[in-house]
Amino acid sequence: MAGRILVFAEQRDGSFRKSTFEALGRAKELGSEVHALLVGSSVASIAPSLGSYGATSVHTVEDSRCELYWSDGYAAALTAAIDALAPELVLLVATGMGKDLAPRVAARRNMAFLSDCIALDEVDGAFEATKSMYGGKVFAQVRSTRKPVIATLRPSAYPAPAPASAAAAVTPLAVELPNDSRARVIEVRKTEAGVLDVQEADIVASGGRGLKEPANFALIEALAKALGGAVGASRAAVDAGWIDHAHQVGQTGKAVSPKLYVAVGISGAIQHLAGMRTSKCILAINKDPEAPIFTMADYGIVGDLFKVVPLLTEEIRKAREA
Ligand SMILES: Cc1cc2nc3c(=O)[nH]c(=O)nc-3n(C[C@H](O)[C@H](O)[C@H](O)COP(=O)(O)OP(=O)(O)OC[C@H]3O[C@@H](n4cnc5c(N)ncnc54)[C@H](O)[C@@H]3O)c2cc1C
């Protein structure tokens, strides 16, 4: 078993991302001691709750300049936490924030860096990651040759643990935040309230060009609602302006690994597969039996989505109500 693990707890507007709980859960399985770092403007009140997911101590950095993500400030905070705690492993999530922060800090402290891991284990005393490479065509086992290691986990790679009734000890961490910054976030444009992010969801129903026009995304929304999941999309649908880029799955969109991924009217181009092929179960609905998505799917329905999706949605609704 590994020793001390530090998890960067990602929060926005005082709410944690589900993937932070996933990282804490995996840290608890791997290490003997789990610490969390929480950075924000006013976050002390939410810090103890991280104990429910496996953190024994939470180290907080509160500063009004940290209300929005700030590369230089957050990197200074994480570097200070690493210096103070000397963890064997630092875990982040491969979200936009984690992807920006982890390599900065790895470079600052000359640490080994394992990025976008779909699995992370300790093997013979070293950390070993499984990574999906070349658009998901191969899985690579990458082993760090030294410690400490900094790693980012792909969202949904591990389940979030059921919360236990435990509170973590909370300690403010003394950090000198930089006075000048090379770049600052000046505005965050939020998606509509209540919209579930594809990277946070256990189930994703995605639509592609086969939907023919934007109004037909209502079919995907109804399916996602019946399943209790999020709405995803192919780039063709996003480029056509049918849905916001925040929903795009794939190489130039988001990488997802939900329990269930439903691809509707999506051909299965390699750039789309790159973002969803690590899903635990894939259902494809396409009228073309030769569509490449079927080579990746666990279940396939060959048929017209305009007939199949409403029927499926109705049956799912009935089954869930029963
Ligand atoms: C650098 C680069 C990056 C890219 N990044 C991404 C990315 O991040 N994500 C992404 O998705 N793509 C990405 N792409 C684009 C990708 O190559 C494909 O063009 C795109 O994924 C196609 O989207 P689609 O499957 O919705 O459309 P299409 O390929 O046109 O497929 C539509 C499918 O709908 C089916 N269909 C049509 N009508 C019906 C019906 N009535 N019922 C059932 N099925 C029907 C068709 O049989 C077809 O298979 C990228 C491309 C490049 C070059």
Side-chain angles (χ1 to χ4, degrees):
M1 181 171 247
R4 181 177 289 174
I5 298 180
L6 173 64
V7 174
F8 174 77
E10 187 173 329
Q11 63 81 30
R12 278 165 209 247
D13 296 333
S15 298
F16 292 111
R17 291 185 75 104
K18 182 172 122 282
S19 40
T20 284
F21 304 143
E22 295 161 9
L24 283 169
R26 187 61 187 145
K28 200 173 172 213
E29 288 164 354
L30 286 172
S32 58
E33 216 181 292
V34 180
H35 293 248
L37 172 68
L38 180 56
V39 183
S41 159
S42 173
V43 287
S45 60
I46 57 167
S49 65
L50 291 173
S52 316
Y53 297 92
T56 45
S57 315
V58 182
H59 307 269
T60 55
V61 174
E62 291 187 296
D63 190 292
S64 58
R65 290 171 292 168
C66 292
E67 182 165 3
L68 298 177
Y69 176 64
W70 168 32
S71 298
D72 294 324
Y74 277 52
L78 184 53
T79 309
I82 292 168
D83 292 346
L85 296 163
E88 276 187 25
L89 173 68
V90 180
L91 260 189
L92 296 91
V93 183
T95 54
M97 197 189 289
K99 284 179 184 171
D100 183 85
L101 185 55
R104 278 174 197 278
V105 175
R108 282 187 187 194
R109 285 296 173 263
N110 197 21
M111 292 165 79
F113 177 38
L114 300 171
S115 64
D116 198 19
C117 310
I118 55 173
L120 183 67
D121 295 284
E122 201 195 21
V123 181
D124 301 332
F127 290 108
E128 188 173 295
T130 307
K131 286 170 56 78
S132 161
M133 299 182 83
Y134 301 113
K137 284 211 167 110
V138 293
F139 293 115
Q141 294 300 121
V142 183
R143 189 181 289 199
S144 64
T145 52
R146 61 193 160 106
K147 290 179 178 171
V149 168
I150 191 159
T152 54
L153 287 181
R154 184 174 286 192
S156 301
Y158 288 97
S165 57
V170 180
T171 328
L173 181 74
V175 184
E176 208 155 302
L177 294 172
N179 285 323
D180 63 333
S181 283
R182 286 167 291 182
R184 293 298 297 260
V185 175
I186 49 170
E187 186 193 5
V188 173
R189 291 192 192 160
K190 293 184 187 160
T191 50
E192 318 92 277
V195 174
L196 189 55
D197 186 289
V198 284
Q199 286 191 316
E200 293 283 289
D202 284 336
I203 300 177
V204 177
S206 285
R209 193 168 4 224
L211 285 168
K212 309 255 188 298
E213 54 178 273
N216 293 330
F217 250 96
L219 291 173
I220 306 298
E221 279 155 18
L223 177 62
K225 191 172 173 214
L227 288 165
V231 174
S234 72
R235 177 162 161 182
V238 172
D239 283 354
W242 299 352
I243 188 162
D244 190 80
H245 180 261
H247 296 266
Q248 184 179 316
V249 172
Q251 190 180 308
T252 43
K254 290 176 177 166
V256 300
S257 294
K259 287 185 189 151
L260 173 64
Y261 187 85
V262 187
V264 181
I266 292 178
S267 59
I270 48 167
Q271 296 90 353
H272 188 80
L273 299 180
M276 45 61 77
R277 70 197 303 163
T278 54
S279 304
K280 311 319 179 264
C281 180
I282 297 169
L283 163 64
I285 302 170
N286 198 301
K287 67 175 184 186
D288 175 8
E290 303 297 325
I293 191 76
F294 286 124
T295 61
M296 200 45 55
D298 299 281
Y299 299 93
I301 301 176
V302 179
D304 182 353
L305 71 89
F306 296 102
K307 292 187 184 138
V308 175
V309 173
L311 285 174
L312 186 65
T313 304
E314 191 48 37
E315 289 305 314
I316 291 165
R317 241 187 239 135
K318 277 193 228 157
R320 293 189 71 141
E321 276 163 17

